[in-house]
Amino acid sequence: MAAEPMTGAESVLRTLSAAGVRACFANPGTSEMHLVAALDRVPDVRPVLALFEGVASGAADGYGRMAGIPAATLLHLGPGLGNAFANLHNAYKARTPIVNVVGDHAVEHAPLNAPLASDVASVARPVSHWYASARDARGAATDAAAAVAAARSHGGGVATLVVPADAGWGPSSGPTAPMPVTPPAPVPAEAVAEAAAALRAGGPAALLIGGAASRGPALRAAARIAAATGARLIHDTFPARLERGAGVPAAQPLPYLTEPATETLAGLGHLVVCGTQAPVAFFAYPGLPSRLADPATDVRVLAGPREDAAAALEALAGELGATGEPPLASARVPEPPTGALDPSAIGAALAALLPEGAIVVDESVTASAPIVQATAGAAPHDWLTLTGGAIGQGLPVATGAAVACPDRPVACLEGDGSAMYTIQALWTQAREALDVTTVILANRSYAILDFELSRVGAAARGPAADALFGIGRPDLDFVGLARSMGVPARRAEDAETFTAALREALAEPGPRLIEARV
Ligand SMILES: Cc1ncc(C[n+]2csc(CCOP(=O)(O)OP(=O)(O)O)c2C)c(N)n1
Ligand SMILES: [Mg+2]
């Protein structure tokens, strides 16, 4: 008897696996059933259930930032993809490699206006560097190979592949071999020479780094260049993944707010940008500039996000003879804090206790600056931030980072308001026994909005602002929420209790949550 032909769904899964995909963050439905069944037959792709698609997409972002290879998501038609949208937006901005696999109606069913039929392509486009819809089961594996190659090309990006149900259940010709990855575009030698001339010109200069330049040998090359030329080394406000801590070259963060950001960049003769774009304000404000660099500064983008920033920095260091050891941040571990619990105390406790090689996911919003400052000399770690500005990413990103790096502890610093967008990520952390310590900055407020209200020149604070920015009524019980999802939790109202809770949480494997009443 002839063997049954492999389904299109299994050919897709086997193709993803052959191209290095090892995790699938999923919330499936009926149109994905053949893909679900195929997961059983392709055991090296780990299925991880998320109870909301925004958790799945954020987890894929955290995974991709840390693993450098894409995870898959498995999403249910347009509505499932739409639920995943905000965290896909964050991944898109971070240029995280991700392969979204989105089930859809069978091709002949799609035009009949069934309840879940929608314009999937229009949902996908703004958050996809690459998009395709498989035409049939025979072509689906080739599409899957192209999707992985696209997600890994040009330094990384989001690829979305729609798999209609009949492309999943129909007969295929088996998996397709991995397709070639297009590396980031090389930076022309003239651009390197021009950047070298700019940095040699004398006068105040700075090197602004982001993307691939914020870690590894690229970061070290940037630090060597800064040391050799006297340029200041500044990093993007919200890096996707920044290496920092004792023994790592220190870069100064570009502040979030327009005024201190323009002040940081004021008076520069030259600004060389590498791995990112020329800096712009997060929002426009009446009377404030949108472009952050001084209009008199010569701004030069040595390498944009799709270009080879690492090679450009090595070439620039070579051109400048910047061969010495770069200056490294020295260890600065504060005494454990005492007394009132505020962001500085949380930063001090974290700096004292952070294990070497930890991954810190920072969605602590108004608490972030003092925590960042306090941890500059902590044991070396990676710092993952809200690159796309859409809140609700911290808990999911921490989840995915922990799946990618099971041997590294993950600490997630999370605003209480931001936490509530995707709180069910805790359930996935418990189920997968992930080593994540979540610290909730429980100020019972959307504090940043209160602050921004006056900055944009809106009328005096009224009852609507109270109604829309206060989240303390009813009071959220994060300890109860965590425990209900299988995550042991404690509440801390002073620095001593917090430090003890953090020490315990970091020492234990598996997820823990601390509600820090600040
Ligand atoms: C998807 C999305 N929705 C809404 C916002 C607007 N927003 C920015 S910060 C914020 C509240 C953050 O509150 P919290 O996490 O408690 O931090 P806090 O401001 O209290 O420090 C909101 C609603 C956003 N950035 N993204
Ligand atoms: Mg808050």
Side-chain angles (χ1 to χ4, degrees), residues 86 363-367 389-391 414-419 421 441 443 445-449 471:
E363 193 175 35
S364 59
V365 195
T366 54
I391 61 171
E414 189 62 36
D416 51 0
S418 301
Y421 284 62
L441 285 294
N443 60 5
S445 165
Y446 286 168
I448 193 163
L449 300 191
I471 61 171

Side-chain angles (χ1 to χ4, degrees), residues 239-256:
R241 177 179 169 188
L242 173 73
E243 263 171 42
R244 64 196 294 270
V248 178
Q252 169 194 4
L254 186 64
Y256 159 74

Side-chain angles (χ1 to χ4, degrees), residues 305-326:
R306 284 167 67 91
E307 293 172 296
D308 194 341
L313 286 167
E314 293 295 351
L316 182 57
E319 180 106 10
L320 291 164
T323 48
E325 257 298 293

